[in-house]
């Protein structure tokens, strides 16, 4: 039997197991978000940011140790643009006096440095960012639903938006479980996850629609299996190459983008799974059929066909 005649892997045969797995993950994530909550960064909670320039590149671990010994417990230390520039972010409210205190504490370790700038973000600004970021995510999902519903069919719109919400909730749940810092970079990663997962889902949905119109044998189960079989190599290759880049960013990009890369890594893995199982599974639940995807016939098409037929005398020649 040739490769083209081989029966595709029965992806839908595991759809009940996949459904139970997804529902468990989503419910667990919602519980974690309700019980533990997200560990919001300074972007959302407010705090002080102090930018310092060293004469020679410092050891960040030593900077953290100096701040810990001075009594500061909630802070983030990272390089900012260059090895000699250090950004210290503290969760407590402050002013110029706090920035001067941080400078004196770090100078006490024997390093030569100078204060470049200090900024304070109020809690009210952080609360506004929380609301606006939540609305932004909801708006993105709503736009996706409208676009896919118009581009394909309403059932496909539902089958595209639900996996996106599934991916975002699971990423948020994992961040709540491990209490990783949730800041604006992670929010940007979530929006990127929505775009990535949507692209993957659209590829599978387009092939399903094409096969529903092209394949004359088999029901929805067979057509969806065949469609996933035809796109699985592309899905794995795309996800694999993306993960290679994200892992490089995570291990080599520095602390400033660690959480950004981590959110994307989780999102790509979960998004690849959801584009195969969650989206296709929903189409099965909603009983998608050929009738849903038939191109409506144009009015007068039959009359035009009759007019275009050759005259009887020509057929006798």
């Amino acid at each position: 039997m040739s490769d083209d005649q081989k029966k595709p892997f029965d992806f839908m045969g595991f759809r009940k197991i996949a459904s139970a797995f997804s529902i468990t993950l989503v419910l667990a994530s919602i519980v974690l978000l309700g019980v533990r909550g997200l560990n919001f960064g300074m972007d959302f909670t407010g705090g002080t940011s102090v930018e310092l320039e060293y004469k020679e590149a410092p050891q960040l671990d030593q900077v953290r140790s100096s701040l810990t010994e001075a009594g500061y417990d909630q802070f983030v230390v990272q390089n900012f643009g260059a090895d000699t520039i250090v950004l210290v972010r503290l969760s407590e409210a402050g002013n110029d006096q706090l920035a001067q205190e941080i400078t004196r504490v770090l100078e006490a370790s024997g390093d030569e440095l100078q204060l470049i700038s200090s900024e304070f973000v109020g809690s009210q600004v952080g609360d506004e960012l929380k609301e606006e970021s939540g609305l932004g995510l909801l708006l993105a999902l709503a736009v996706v639903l409208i676009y896919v519903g118009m581009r394909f069919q309403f059932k496909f719109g539902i089958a595209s938006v639900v996996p996106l919400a599934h991916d975002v909730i699971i990423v948020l749940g994992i961040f709540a479980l491990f209490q990783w810092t949730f800041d604006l970079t992670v929010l940007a990663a979530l929006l990127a996850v929505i775009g990535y997962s949507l692209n993957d889902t659209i590829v599978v949905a387009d092939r399903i629609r094409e096969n529903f119109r092209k394949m004359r044998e088999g029901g929805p189960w067979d057509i969806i299996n065949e469609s996933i079989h035809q796109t699985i190599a592309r899905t794995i290759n795309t996800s694999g190459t993306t993960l290679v880049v994200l892992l490089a960013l995570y291990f080599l990009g520095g602390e400033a983008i660690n959480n950004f890369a981590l959110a994307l890594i989780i999102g790509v893995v979960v998004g690849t799974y959801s584009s195969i199982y969650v989206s296709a599974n929903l189409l099965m639940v909603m009983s998608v059929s050929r009738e849903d995807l038939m191109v409506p016939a144009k009015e007068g098409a039959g009359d035009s066909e009759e007019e275009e037929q050759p005259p009887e005398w020509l057929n006798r020649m």
Side-chain angles (χ1 to χ4, degrees):
M1 182 180 292
S2 64
D3 293 340
D4 295 337
Q5 296 175 334
K6 287 183 179 179
K7 186 176 181 181
F9 181 78
D10 188 12
F11 293 96
M12 291 294 96
F14 295 90
R15 68 188 189 92
K16 292 184 178 179
I17 297 175
S19 298
F21 179 67
S22 294
I23 292 172
T24 301
L25 284 180
V26 170
L27 291 178
S29 298
I30 293 173
V31 170
L32 285 168
L33 289 169
V35 174
R36 293 176 65 86
L38 292 170
N39 179 23
F40 288 106
M42 191 189 74
D43 298 326
F44 296 102
T45 60
T48 303
S49 174
V50 180
E51 187 177 348
L52 304 162
E53 183 174 9
Y54 282 73
K55 185 176 181 179
E56 297 181 359
Q59 295 292 328
L60 296 184
D61 290 338
Q62 183 178 351
V63 175
R64 296 186 185 100
S65 300
S66 299
L67 292 174
T68 302
E69 292 173 0
Y72 299 99
D73 53 356
Q74 294 184 355
F75 58 83
V76 175
V77 176
Q78 61 193 46
N79 288 116
F80 188 70
D83 292 340
T84 56
I85 298 178
V86 173
L87 184 66
V88 180
R89 307 173 70 181
L90 302 99
S91 58
E92 60 185 275
N95 48 32
D96 292 338
Q97 183 178 356
L98 177 61
Q100 296 294 340
E101 291 177 0
I102 296 295
T103 304
R104 286 195 294 271
V105 167
L106 297 179
E107 284 178 335
S109 61
D111 294 322
E112 295 185 28
L113 58 101
Q114 62 177 354
L115 175 64
I116 299 178
S117 65
S118 63
E119 296 179 353
F120 169 68
V121 178
S123 58
Q124 182 176 358
V125 176
D127 292 337
E128 292 177 359
L129 281 175
K130 290 180 187 177
E131 295 177 3
E132 292 175 358
S133 60
L135 290 174
L137 288 174
L138 293 176
L139 180 61
L141 296 177
V143 170
V144 168
L145 175 61
I146 295 172
Y147 165 74
V148 180
M150 295 175 62
R151 178 69 174 79
F152 292 90
Q153 198 261 354
F154 184 71
K155 291 180 180 180
F156 280 82
I158 297 295
S160 297
V161 169
V162 172
L164 300 183
H166 164 277
D167 300 343
V168 170
I169 291 173
I170 290 177
V171 173
L172 291 175
I174 294 175
F175 266 74
L177 174 64
F178 295 103
Q179 288 296 287
W180 292 326
T181 302
F182 186 91
D183 52 21
L184 288 178
T185 63
V186 179
L187 175 62
L190 287 180
L191 293 173
V193 166
I194 290 176
Y196 179 89
S197 183
L198 174 63
N199 176 69
D200 217 14
T201 302
I202 289 296
V203 170
V204 179
D206 189 57
R207 185 56 58 89
I208 291 174
R209 180 182 65 170
E210 178 184 345
N211 285 336
F212 260 107
R213 294 174 175 174
K214 183 174 65 175
M215 294 175 62
R216 299 302 179 186
E217 297 181 358
W221 185 295
D222 302 308
I223 293 173
I224 291 176
N225 269 337
E226 179 64 28
S227 301
I228 297 175
H229 174 74
Q230 293 173 359
T231 56
I232 190 67
R234 178 262 177 204
T235 298
I236 293 176
N237 289 337
T238 303
S239 299
T241 53
T242 305
L243 284 174
V244 169
V245 175
L246 293 176
L247 288 171
L249 284 176
Y250 178 76
F251 289 109
L252 304 175
E255 185 180 356
I257 61 172
N258 270 7
N259 287 341
F260 171 80
L262 191 58
L264 279 176
I265 290 171
I266 299 170
V268 167
V269 173
V270 178
T272 301
Y273 157 80
S274 68
S275 65
I276 296 173
Y277 273 108
V278 179
S279 179
N281 211 345
L282 285 170
L283 291 175
M284 291 290 299
V285 171
M286 292 184 291
S287 302
V288 67
S289 62
R290 285 187 174 87
E291 288 73 16
D292 295 324
L293 300 171
M294 287 180 62
V295 178
K298 296 182 179 179
E299 295 183 2
D303 298 338
S304 62
E305 289 178 1
E306 292 179 0
E307 293 176 358
E308 292 176 359
Q309 291 180 358
E312 185 178 352
W313 65 267
L314 185 60
N315 292 330
R316 292 196 297 265
M317 292 182 65

